[in-house]
Amino acid sequence: MYPLFLRLSGKQVLVVGAGPVAARRIEGLLAEGAVVVVVAPHGQVPDGCTWHRREFTATDLDGAWLVQACATPAVNTQVAREAAARGVWCVDAADATSSSAWTASRIAAADGVEVAVSGGGDPVRARRLVQVLGDALLNADLRRERPAAGSVALVGAGPGDPGLLTVRARELLAAADVVVVDRLAPRAALDMTHAQIIGVGKSPGDHTVGQDDINRILVEQALAGNRVVRLKGGDPFVLGRGGEELAACLDAGIEVEVVPGITSAVAVPAAAGIPVTHRGMATGFLVATAHGEDPELIGHLAQVPAEITIVLLMGVRSLEMVASVLLRSRSADTPAAVVERGWTPRQRTVVATLGSVAEQARTHGVQAPSIVVIGDVAALHDQFGDLARPSSGAGLIADA
Ligand SMILES: C[S@@+](CC[C@H](N)C(=O)[O-])C[C@H]1O[C@@H](n2cnc3c(N)ncnc32)[C@H](O)[C@@H]1O
């Protein structure tokens, strides 16, 4: 078989048959922009194609660049014969050996890299190969050698364990020229890229590289033609100023992709055995920043009903003030937990009550980054214990 990549956009492709195999093929063809014409007396076809409900006739091949024969073996053989007579490539779904063309199993890696695999007529073997090659590609150096338009990907890196990075995040890291990284991203993510690393981490009270500078770096690096990954702890759009970075890039006419990440707001309580909702205890949760010293800025938290769990980020320094605001409406006995460095080997949890949590956190010397959880669910830590099993590479850039 001679490997080839086809640009099917706007090209007519005939599909004979309307069963599950045909449906999968049609979806793949439509995704590539092909003009799909289906011929089959009955069955089901996805939206977006033209369906002639009748038997195949040879003239159906007129105007087709390619035909997928997904009907009965007898019909497929007829389709293949007529296609060969007209010089049209035919994929006979049931007969890999005599087919004039064959659909490859496909691996789409980062940035337009495609790998097409043939299992030599054995689809199970092909799927195994896809798995092996897909895993290998995650660690390959996929940076471009030829100049291309720059772009920025705002990528959420999760709470600190590389096992909690998404597949898309890993693909983009493999293809990146430049990675602009926060202190709360997983340290191991830097081993997954061959890119130049630019650290712009802010720590509480130390904003050496301000947000305007970060926006400028992203825009400058992309305009210079680089594939930029902006790697951020957690999710880029949860208290991460991802929206501002997105706006700055779009204003500069740069192509931007957003890759959600696992937010610490949910993952870090989970690491400490605290589900943010729990039947009979909490019907919802509210995520807020406790950054800043002004009680007025968080006064609204006192209005939150007791059955809603409050999850506070950036809350260590202002914990005393926050607790005093919440004590206006919640009982001093309300369970409260502080989880430090979730999903890292240094994770630890302090469970107390709203009345005592600030003092307990001080006594134990709790530091940022930590998540504060206020509500009945916080007490579940005592029942469930720590649930995180950080992988060997887990840890934050801040702790490197
Ligand atoms: C600027 S916010 C960014 C939040 C991030 N975008 C997210 O979705 O997780 C930083 C805060 O997230 C929380 N945080 C992030 N990673 C954490 C971790 N591994 N353990 C505990 N808290 C964490 C802390 O409250 C920290 O101060």
Side-chain angles (χ1 to χ4, degrees):
M1 301 300 272
Y2 181 75
L4 193 67
F5 288 94
L6 302 179
R7 204 180 297 284
L8 288 181
S9 180
K11 304 277 192 300
Q12 188 170 315
V13 178
L14 176 68
V15 177
V16 181
V21 175
R24 276 202 304 279
R25 298 281 161 92
I26 292 167
E27 271 161 9
L29 292 164
L30 290 173
E32 293 304 327
V35 177
V36 180
V37 177
V38 183
V39 177
H42 39 72
Q44 255 189 331
V45 301
D47 291 341
C49 52
T50 306
W51 183 9
H52 301 302
R53 292 170 191 253
R54 55 168 172 72
E55 300 293 348
F56 164 77
T57 64
T59 51
D60 290 327
L61 287 159
D62 295 346
W65 291 65
L66 176 71
V67 54
Q68 295 268 359
C70 309
T72 61
V75 173
N76 289 356
T77 306
Q78 184 200 352
V79 173
R81 196 174 51 239
E82 298 291 353
R86 286 170 162 74
V88 179
W89 296 108
C90 175
V91 180
D92 180 343
D95 188 352
T97 44
S98 66
S99 226
S100 66
W102 192 245
T103 307
S105 298
R106 178 173 174 187
I107 308 164
D111 195 19
V113 174
E114 302 260 9
V115 179
V117 171
S118 164
D122 179 343
V124 177
R125 191 163 64 158
R127 274 201 295 280
R128 274 208 313 265
L129 261 171
V130 165
Q131 176 80 48
V132 171
L133 295 174
D135 289 349
L137 278 176
L138 287 176
N139 293 318
D141 183 353
L142 296 179
R143 285 174 295 171
R144 280 180 181 269
E145 296 297 330
R146 294 190 190 175
S151 61
V152 172
L154 298 174
V155 178
D161 188 323
L164 297 180
L165 275 164
T166 62
V167 172
R168 185 65 185 144
R170 293 197 60 174
E171 288 172 356
L172 288 165
L173 283 167
D177 302 303
V178 175
V179 174
V180 181
V181 71
D182 271 352
R183 292 174 79 251
L184 295 186
R187 197 174 46 222
L190 303 186
D191 298 333
M192 297 172 185
T193 183
H194 302 266
Q196 178 199 348
I197 310 291
I198 301 178
V200 292
K202 302 174 216 163
S203 51
D206 170 17
H207 292 202
T208 323
V209 187
Q211 191 60 49
D212 288 345
D213 293 327
I214 296 174
N215 296 352
R216 186 181 43 74
I217 290 168
L218 295 178
V219 168
E220 280 176 5
Q221 290 292 339
L223 290 178
N226 291 316
R227 302 280 152 141
V228 181
V229 166
R230 170 69 174 116
L231 195 68
K232 301 170 79 69
D235 181 276
F237 284 174
V238 178
L239 299 172
R241 305 191 71 169
E244 292 163 59
E245 294 173 7
L246 173 68
C249 293
L250 292 178
D251 282 352
I254 292 161
E255 189 192 314
V256 189
E257 172 177 351
V258 176
V259 181
I262 296 180
T263 178
S264 63
V266 175
V268 169
I274 301 173
V276 288
T277 68
H278 194 68
R279 198 172 166 82
M281 275 190 190
T283 56
F285 63 100
L286 178 141
V287 178
T289 172
H291 181 62
E293 309 297 326
D294 184 356
E296 292 310 311
L297 293 177
I298 56 149
H300 63 284
L301 293 180
Q303 321 293 326
V304 177
E307 68 271 18
I308 302 294
T309 305
I310 296 179
V311 180
L312 297 174
L313 276 62
M314 297 173 269
V316 174
R317 285 211 301 183
S318 50
L319 192 49
E320 189 155 356
M321 180 271 290
V322 172
S324 69
V325 168
L326 290 176
L327 280 168
R328 289 181 205 156
S329 59
R330 294 200 183 203
S331 140
D333 296 336
T334 305
V338 187
V339 188
E340 182 182 325
R341 290 183 153 71
W343 289 101
T344 78
R346 293 172 60 189
Q347 175 180 324
R348 63 177 179 148
T349 306
V350 173
V351 179
T353 61
L354 188 54
S356 65
V357 68
E359 188 196 329
Q360 286 294 317
R362 215 176 18 253
T363 307
H364 288 90
V366 171
Q367 302 284 326
S370 292
I371 296 278
V372 180
V373 185
I374 295 153
D376 289 343
V377 291
L380 290 172
H381 169 77
D382 293 339
Q383 185 182 333
F384 294 143
D386 285 331
L387 299 180
R389 304 284 175 266
S391 57
S392 59
L396 304 169
I397 290 173
D399 294 337

